[in-house]
Amino acid sequence: MAESNVAPRMFEFHDGKSDKFWEIELTGDSHTVRYGRSVTDGQTKTKEFADEEKARASYEELISQKT
């Protein structure tokens, strides 16, 4: 199966006290999450899975938690 890439999804939160972002990108059997304050590069964490299907399920679950 060919490796599938999905364009990154970014979410931002702004209020009187916070200005932060959360971004996720799906690449094949892994996804990468980048998050932090909007004026910084933030932190990055990559998680690998046994296959693309499990990576996509985790990707979609994380997005559903943000929406």
Side-chain angles (χ1 to χ4, degrees):
M1 184 180 220
E3 184 175 286
S4 61
N5 294 336
V6 175
R9 297 270 320 259
M10 179 177 269
F11 299 87
E12 296 180 3
F13 179 76
H14 308 280
D15 72 3
K17 299 177 185 177
S18 296
D19 187 16
K20 52 191 174 180
F21 70 92
W22 184 88
E23 178 182 57
I24 188 167
E25 182 174 11
L26 178 65
T27 306
D29 63 353
S30 67
H31 61 59
T32 301
V33 174
R34 191 171 66 93
Y35 61 95
R37 290 185 166 191
S38 293
V39 295
T40 68
D41 289 336
Q43 298 179 38
T44 302
K45 294 185 179 184
T46 299
K47 188 170 182 180
E48 295 186 15
F49 297 85
D51 56 43
E52 290 183 27
E53 185 177 313
K54 290 181 182 170
R56 180 172 293 278
S58 176
Y59 168 87
E60 291 174 358
E61 181 180 341
L62 289 171
I63 289 174
S64 72
Q65 291 173 3
K66 296 293 181 186
T67 55

